Amino acid sequence: MDIDRSMIGLSSKPYTAVAEQEKARRFAEAIGDPNPLYEDESYAGQTVYGETTVPPTFLIALGNNAELPIRLDVRRMLHGEQAFIYHRPVRFGEKLVCTMSVADIYEKEGKSGAMQFLVLDTEMTDENGQLVAVSKNTIVYRPAKKPEKGGERN
Amino acid sequence: MKTATVLEVKQLREGAELPILEKPPVTREQLVRYANASGDLNPLHTDDEFAKSIGMDGVIAHGMLIMGFLGQYVQQLAGKEAFVADFSMRFAAVTRPGDVITCRGTVARLFEENGKQAAELQLTAEKAPGKPVGSGTAVLLFGRQEDR
């Protein structure tokens, strides 16, 4: 479907995600990131994190359960930008209540005409309702049926 | 693999170029492992035939894998003293198996947040000199964090 600014503010139902240490270990291993912060409690205890935590991009692996009330065409989606904002460290085993919402939709003039951008924010709060982290995904939503070059398909 | 060293707060100065992190070449096996570990099972990253069917020359790396490399770099620079508060990346070009990604950073800005030393880093990931696959920023906060 096509997207327009009337969709800003739409959000998914909240869903629960848990950062599992074993999953984070496999994630770090796939990247080839050997930082002991993700596994070694005694090392992590000496850091400002205080205990083991997730690799900085791991939250992307928790965001697969969101169902937005709009139907996006994955073939038109390119991953343009990604941001993670941490309000405090994510702890292994804690329940995170996640809600994805359409934070923004805007157009920019690109090389091949106007391109639409869709910004999806996933807010993650703890059981006390305190914001822990936000994952911000900016998607380039291309015109339907156009040959593609470069970029990252989602 | 060349590895970055840890940033020390007393050595921070604006404009300073940081030690680089050079990753081993990206492999197809790595893309399969990353697909499974991240849950991004788009066959564009693991199936050459599929990638060709949509006009690519073959599989390309997940953009998020490259951000993972930059994340490794940033978390390593943060060491024991800094908290990675804000980390973003913009994707600019594709990475293919065999590409060697080098992560580079400079100290863009030093400032204080809630009385704590903060450093904004400007980051790039490149597959050859002058051929970036993406750029980003990270904000490191020094000292133990209460809720921000």
Side-chain angles (χ1 to χ4, degrees):
Chain A
M1 73 191 288
D2 289 321
I3 56 173
D4 63 70
R5 290 181 59 83
S6 73
M7 295 168 181
I8 295 171
L10 290 175
S11 63
S12 74
K13 284 194 191 125
Y15 60 95
T16 301
V18 176
E20 293 167 30
Q21 193 157 20
E22 174 55 23
K23 207 174 157 188
R25 193 190 61 74
R26 285 200 304 270
F27 187 86
E29 196 174 84
I31 291 167
D33 180 350
N35 200 314
L37 179 64
Y38 320 132
E39 277 199 90
D40 183 338
E41 285 300 342
S42 68
Y43 171 83
Q46 301 162 32
T47 72
V48 294
Y49 285 79
E51 56 184 273
T52 51
T53 191
V54 297
T57 59
F58 179 73
L59 298 182
I60 204 74
L62 297 181
N64 299 331
N65 293 320
E67 282 184 31
L68 283 173
I70 50 174
R71 198 161 210 75
L72 297 169
D73 182 351
V74 291
R75 290 167 304 178
R76 294 173 58 183
M77 291 161 67
L78 292 165
H79 200 174
E81 292 175 42
Q82 178 67 40
F84 300 100
I85 299 137
Y86 288 92
H87 292 261
R88 68 159 171 80
V90 170
R91 308 294 185 201
F92 287 120
E94 73 174 335
K95 267 190 198 158
L96 296 169
V97 180
C98 307
T99 310
M100 182 186 274
S101 61
V102 179
D104 200 6
I105 292 174
Y106 58 92
E107 277 191 16
K108 263 201 247 177
E109 243 0 88
K111 279 173 241 161
S112 49
M115 295 207 297
Q116 281 188 305
F117 292 77
L118 170 68
V119 184
L120 300 177
D121 279 6
T122 303
E123 293 195 339
M124 304 182 175
T125 58
D126 63 20
E127 289 183 293
N128 302 319
Q130 295 291 312
L131 191 59
V132 177
V134 181
S135 169
K136 200 177 248 301
N137 181 346
T138 302
I139 292 163
V140 183
Y141 204 64
R142 299 172 306 148
K145 285 187 188 163
K146 262 207 146 178
E148 63 179 350
K149 269 283 172 216
E152 144 90 338
R153 276 169 59 114
N154 247 349
Chain B
M1 182 174 79
K2 285 180 202 155
T3 51
T5 47
V6 170
L7 273 189
E8 287 193 46
V9 67
K10 56 183 179 294
Q11 294 176 349
L12 288 176
R13 57 179 178 80
E14 287 183 359
E17 278 188 37
L18 304 171
I20 64 168
L21 170 68
E22 186 182 296
K23 293 290 290 175
V26 171
T27 65
R28 288 162 195 278
E29 295 70 32
Q30 183 172 35
L31 300 186
V32 172
R33 282 204 306 277
Y34 187 79
N36 290 322
S38 69
D40 181 348
L41 300 174
N42 187 331
L44 173 62
H45 308 299
T46 52
D47 181 344
D48 273 323
E49 289 309 311
F50 175 84
K52 286 174 185 164
S53 77
I54 59 167
M56 307 298 288
D57 296 331
V59 296
I60 61 170
H62 307 76
M64 286 307 301
L65 174 63
I66 311 306
M67 190 173 184
F69 294 169
L70 279 184
Q72 171 184 354
Y73 183 50
V74 166
Q75 198 71 62
Q76 186 170 352
L77 290 168
K80 293 180 181 175
E81 302 305 323
F83 171 73
V84 179
D86 202 321
F87 174 37
S88 64
M89 181 175 180
R90 178 178 294 188
F91 303 105
V94 298
T95 300
R96 299 176 199 285
D99 284 341
V100 173
I101 298 296
T102 302
C103 301
R104 297 178 185 279
T106 54
V107 179
R109 190 164 67 98
L110 295 173
F111 59 104
E112 283 198 2
E113 187 179 291
N114 300 328
K116 291 211 172 83
Q117 179 66 57
E120 183 181 315
L121 309 183
Q122 181 68 43
L123 307 163
T124 56
E126 57 184 34
K127 55 185 172 185
K131 291 189 87 178
V133 294
S135 59
T137 61
V139 173
L140 305 188
L141 299 180
F142 289 83
R144 195 173 273 263
Q145 296 308 303
E146 294 79 44
D147 283 7
R148 291 168 73 214

